[in-house]
Amino acid sequence: MPPGSCRAVASSSAGGPRLEDSISLGAPRLFLTRAGGPRRAGAWSAQGPTPLSSGWPDAAVAVGAAAVAAAAVVVAGGRGRAGGWRQRRMDSRVSELFGGCCRPGGGPAVGGTLKARGAGGGSSGCGGPKGKKKNGRNRGAKANNPPYLPPEAEDGNIEYKLKLVNPSQYRFEHLVTQMKWRLQEGRGEAVYQIGVEDNGLLVGLAEEEMRASLKTLHRMAEKVGADITVLREREVDYDSDVPRKITEVLVRKVPDNQQFLDLRVAVLGNVDSGKSTLLGVLTQGELDNGRGRARLNLFRHLHEIQSGRTSSISFEILGFNSKGEVVNYSDSRTAEEICESSSKMITFIDLAGHHKYLHTTIFGLTSYCPDCALLLVSANTGIAGTTREHLGLALALKVPFFIVVSKVDLCAKTTVERTVRQLERVLKQPGCHKVPMLVTSEDDAVTAAQQFAQSPNVTPIFTLSSVSGESLDLLKVFLNILPPLTNSKEQEELMQQLTEFQVDEIYTVPEVGTVVGGTLSSGICREGDQLVVGPTDDGCFLELRVCSIQRNRSACRVLRAGQAATLALGEFDRALLRKGMVMVSPEMNPTICSVFEAEIVLLFHATTFRRGFQVTVHVGNVRQTAVVEKIHAKDKLRTGEKAVVRFRFLKHPEYLKVGAKLLFREGVTKGIGHVTDVQAIAAGEAQANMGF
């Protein structure tokens, strides 16, 4: 195989199709579609490999059964009780629970690491077996067939254009309408591939035609109030004597009904891996001194400063303007100025790494609904401590994640490579089925952002240093280009529902009164809205009024589904509020329960899981101790087994929904499932049902 080529193999032990993808300059890729027939796909090296496309039957790996199985393997951390026959037994059980989307050993197995080549043609090829030769020639060699990208999709935010040279007025208006549609699909962001036909053929344009096309694209963007940024250019080898190239352009426009585009990223990792330090460097704009100076502005408590360990959940913001430039606290900016100057905002949720604060980390993952997670691994220690547990939590809760290997300045190159190989092995474990993608150049970062949004099983890996700043810009490029991971249709459907706001934090602010922080799960919330909050200890819901709203410390009049904010409630008594409550529209007529049933899989338990066992249950923003009242059709459960279990809350009733994801824990005991039934109770019956 020639240098710079990349090979990824996916197979099925059940005798299913086998994918062998060799990618090099000019070499077409061939893989199976959903119908099983061959389809030619893109071989543009700068775009990066997509070995498991949406057409692959098992492309939705790391969800459902795969996520649960991986969570068990990772959380167990190699314990004998969770391995061997018990692991295989659990795989079969979870396949029944989640509809058989992943059979034991039947999912696609990854046999290579993706490494996209830079536009300059430098080699960063993957390991793996060499490609087969035919007639004495390597298949990865330059072929007569022109390279392809996957055909253009009707939905989504990616648009192919062969050229945009001097369009007529009618054509120009049509192009503007088309751009509005792509921006709407990408919730304010769109990517244009200039020099590419609709079927994905990379034709390229001469220099004058490309210049004219970019000028037209700039006029289109001005028409809709957007800005364009050239992400990368690349020459293509087409049947022409004139050099031809294609250009990838990012179009960004803040929607009229929003202040900025928002993306929430949860930061996970073992204690002392450098999570807070990395966030301090990104948000403050200054490198660390090697002794933790950058993290001091992130800590909320004195004991955190003294110990250097995060024990609470904190939020930090990093902005990007319409041209892709970083906007942070450097140059003495305030949070309000960052929000005003940014068209895209990354909100980092800094979670605790120490095992003592694991409940806080789980609460942050379940209640704040992050779009994705950043898993930080120290290069000098590798996968240690709570890293496996955090990885298992992300898989179990189906949160997409990418990995950052930090502190590379402290290690030799061989040590960093060993840590990366260790990560690759874990990501390729049965049930996890992630495709590692090592990012080594700016072109790789662009490719990684696009692949990460399109395929849930691609996991980018960055290696950087917060002290020397090595490869720090690659992470910024990735975050700048990373599109929203939810589509506009889902957002619109949520906004049509009644208002529901999860209460995660409660404050008392001088001259403002009681303030609650959380996430709007559905509907729209405006200043002056009348809502009800509950349930209280006796199961009641109390009326209140929203006085003002703030997002990222700046005023906001309207809050939409999926957005996090703080709401000022005026003189409402703080003593009546607690974490886990919801603020809903009075028309919703919310139901509460103290007894509920859930279909669960026991990920790990040292002995047997029986009636009367007490666990801490996490359902969204709800976190409360519950007792196992009944295990249907069984007397006890062991690791890997599934069952329908009835739980009863010990303290007060909660607001739950059927279908909500559930995670419970007690010491080393861990399990996951979803709520199948709630026994609704009226307000007057609450205390009697709780046994008071």
Side-chain angles (χ1 to χ4, degrees), residues 156-158 182-191 250-255 258 260-265 343-346 370-372 400 449-450 452-455 478-491 562:
N157 69 332
I158 298 179
R182 293 298 184 185
L183 288 170
Q184 180 183 348
E185 284 290 287
R187 293 172 59 186
E189 290 184 342
V191 176
L250 174 68
V251 184
R252 177 174 292 169
K253 174 185 182 296
V254 178
Q258 295 185 27
F260 45 76
L261 307 175
D262 196 10
L263 203 65
R264 291 193 296 276
V265 179
S343 57
K344 182 176 184 177
M345 190 75 68
I346 307 293
D371 296 290
C372 60
Q450 296 173 352
F452 183 69
Q454 295 172 6
S455 178
F478 175 83
L479 294 172
N480 174 44
I481 300 173
L482 185 64
L485 302 182
T486 57
N487 58 46
S488 57
K489 293 181 182 178
E490 295 176 355
Q491 181 81 0

Side-chain angles (χ1 to χ4, degrees), residues 662-675:
L662 172 145
L663 189 146
F664 61 88
R665 61 177 180 85
E666 178 58 39
V668 296
T669 301
K670 294 178 180 65
I672 188 174
H674 61 272
V675 178

Side-chain angles (χ1 to χ4, degrees), residues 65 248 677:
E248 189 171 354
D677 182 51

